[in-house]
Amino acid sequence: MTHSDPDPTNPDRTSAAPTRSDLAHPTSVEAAGGARPPRIVSVKPIVLDAPDRGEDLRVRVTAPVSGRDLPVVVFSHGFGSSADGYGPLTDFWAAHGFVVVQPTHLDSRTVGLPADDPRTPRIWRHRVADVKRVLDRLDLLEAAVPGLGGRVDRSRVAAAGHSFGGQTAGNLLGLRVLDPGSGTGEDLSDPRVRAGVLLATAGRGGADLSAFAAENYPFMNADFTHMTAPALVVAGDRDDSPMTVRGPDWLADPYVLSPGDKSLLTLFGAEHSLGGVPGYEARETTDEHPGRLALIQRATTAYLRHTLGLDDTGWTAVRKELADSTSPLGRIESKSSSRP
């Protein structure tokens, strides 16, 4: 689980005024070289009717102001956060050619769901339904962003998420949540999602969970054996989670225990916030590290472009840089479907 300190969601459900900005913290090659960073536009809240959810779904969309055939990344926030978080990743992805869609899930502190709300035990399922609702309504989301119409490539869609959001993204890729009693899990994968990025995502459940996690978060009982879609797993080697009786290697389970084409980026010295992905100067970031964050930005962008069939140059370059460095910030390993 992750906890962040997002700003309250705009309560005006009828307005979706765009805000336009350059990257506030330039870490891209373009910005580092002195060139003007690509411009992006962000629109919130875009409200999707969700009568079966009990609350309408509020969404933020961030996109580059230029370019065509733009791929889509749906990003699922960590527990308690909202669509207002994770700017270091979502702004960077948008500035590098992606349309980034961020739903605010029911567990967000901006929603204020009481702990005894009857929806609470099924929060994880509502999260998956939120992402599928986003995919079902891409036409409305595209139309809500000035100038975005006709520029989106809906055949190239990825799901990404941090912490609890990583499990949500994993569900779309084939991860199953096992019922503690029956040991069975439902397939909630979606063929529209071609790839994923799972950041600081919980590992195997069952005996690997701490007593606290097993009692309070029974949905953290993941089975990765059906998660066949391509994914990049990002884990910190100092992310010693209280949710498990194991150490930081637990966060590598989505890579180790899943079949298919997968890559694992292990970040040296990183804790649960992975150097600052929830937000610049976010309260819960105990391991703030601009270099580590820049690596995540570059590696995830390059991986998404690689796995969505756009180009391989960036992914090849990041892997080579880490392999050749005498003091790398992390390491990347990969496996293919023929080598589980």
Side-chain angles (χ1 to χ4, degrees):
M1 297 296 176
T2 185
H3 299 272
S4 62
D5 191 19
D7 294 330
T9 302
N10 188 332
D12 182 4
R13 62 168 297 169
T14 62
S15 65
T19 57
R20 202 169 280 202
S21 66
D22 296 322
L23 292 178
H25 293 253
T27 53
S28 66
V29 173
E30 296 89 345
R36 182 181 179 86
R39 300 183 73 195
I40 60 176
V41 60
S42 185
V43 178
K44 68 164 189 177
I46 306 171
V47 180
L48 302 181
D49 292 337
D52 56 332
R53 186 176 183 264
E55 304 273 348
D56 287 336
L57 178 60
R58 294 173 181 268
V59 178
R60 179 185 188 125
V61 178
T62 307
V65 299
S66 61
R68 303 192 63 82
D69 299 323
L70 305 173
V72 177
V73 180
V74 184
F75 185 86
S76 180
H77 62 72
F79 186 84
S81 187
S82 74
D84 288 324
Y86 297 93
L89 281 181
T90 58
D91 284 0
F92 191 90
W93 289 340
H96 288 76
F98 292 87
V99 175
V100 184
V101 186
Q102 296 174 261
T104 291
H105 300 301
L106 285 173
D107 56 89
S108 172
R109 287 189 297 277
T110 64
V111 176
L113 207 67
D116 60 353
D117 189 283
R119 289 167 290 180
T120 298
R122 295 173 61 85
I123 283 288
W124 72 272
R125 294 188 69 106
H126 282 291
R127 281 173 150 262
V128 178
D130 288 346
V131 177
K132 292 191 176 188
R133 182 172 275 108
V134 161
L135 297 178
D136 291 342
R137 304 301 302 277
L138 281 178
D139 54 344
L140 186 152
L141 297 174
E142 181 179 340
V145 181
L148 186 60
R151 297 169 51 218
V152 179
D153 183 353
R154 301 184 193 180
S155 71
R156 289 188 166 98
V157 176
H162 176 242
S163 194
F164 195 7
Q167 177 177 294
T168 303
N171 286 134
L172 278 294
L173 304 174
L175 180 158
R176 298 185 183 183
V177 173
L178 300 180
D179 180 89
S182 66
T184 61
E186 184 180 352
D187 179 11
L188 299 176
S189 61
D190 193 305
R192 292 172 292 185
V193 179
R194 291 177 50 177
V197 174
L198 278 54
L199 301 134
T201 300
R204 181 170 54 192
D208 289 349
L209 294 179
S210 66
F212 173 82
E215 179 180 356
N216 294 279
Y217 306 112
F219 53 80
M220 294 180 69
N221 197 20
D223 172 18
F224 301 100
T225 58
H226 302 280
M227 198 175 79
T228 57
L232 171 64
V233 177
V234 183
D237 68 359
R238 292 189 183 174
D239 188 356
D240 199 0
S241 174
M243 300 297 172
T244 181
V245 296
R246 290 166 52 191
D249 69 299
W250 185 61
L251 284 300
D253 279 359
Y255 170 80
V256 174
L257 301 179
S258 63
D261 296 338
K262 300 290 189 300
S263 292
L264 172 66
L265 169 58
T266 302
L267 295 163
F268 303 150
E271 299 174 10
H272 198 61
S273 294
L274 303 175
V277 296
Y280 297 109
E281 301 177 352
R283 182 176 60 187
E284 75 279 13
T285 299
T286 58
D287 62 334
E288 187 170 352
H289 192 293
R292 190 179 297 136
L293 178 57
L295 171 58
I296 295 173
Q297 290 171 324
R298 291 184 56 227
T300 55
T301 301
Y303 178 82
L304 288 168
R305 292 186 60 80
H306 155 72
T307 198
L308 292 177
L310 296 169
D311 73 72
D312 291 327
T313 56
W315 182 235
T316 300
V318 169
R319 298 182 69 181
K320 186 176 188 305
E321 286 176 22
L322 289 180
D324 293 348
S325 175
T326 57
S327 55
L329 294 174
R331 67 173 179 270
I332 292 176
E333 54 193 285
S334 300
K335 63 183 182 180
S336 68
S337 55
S338 60
R339 183 169 54 85

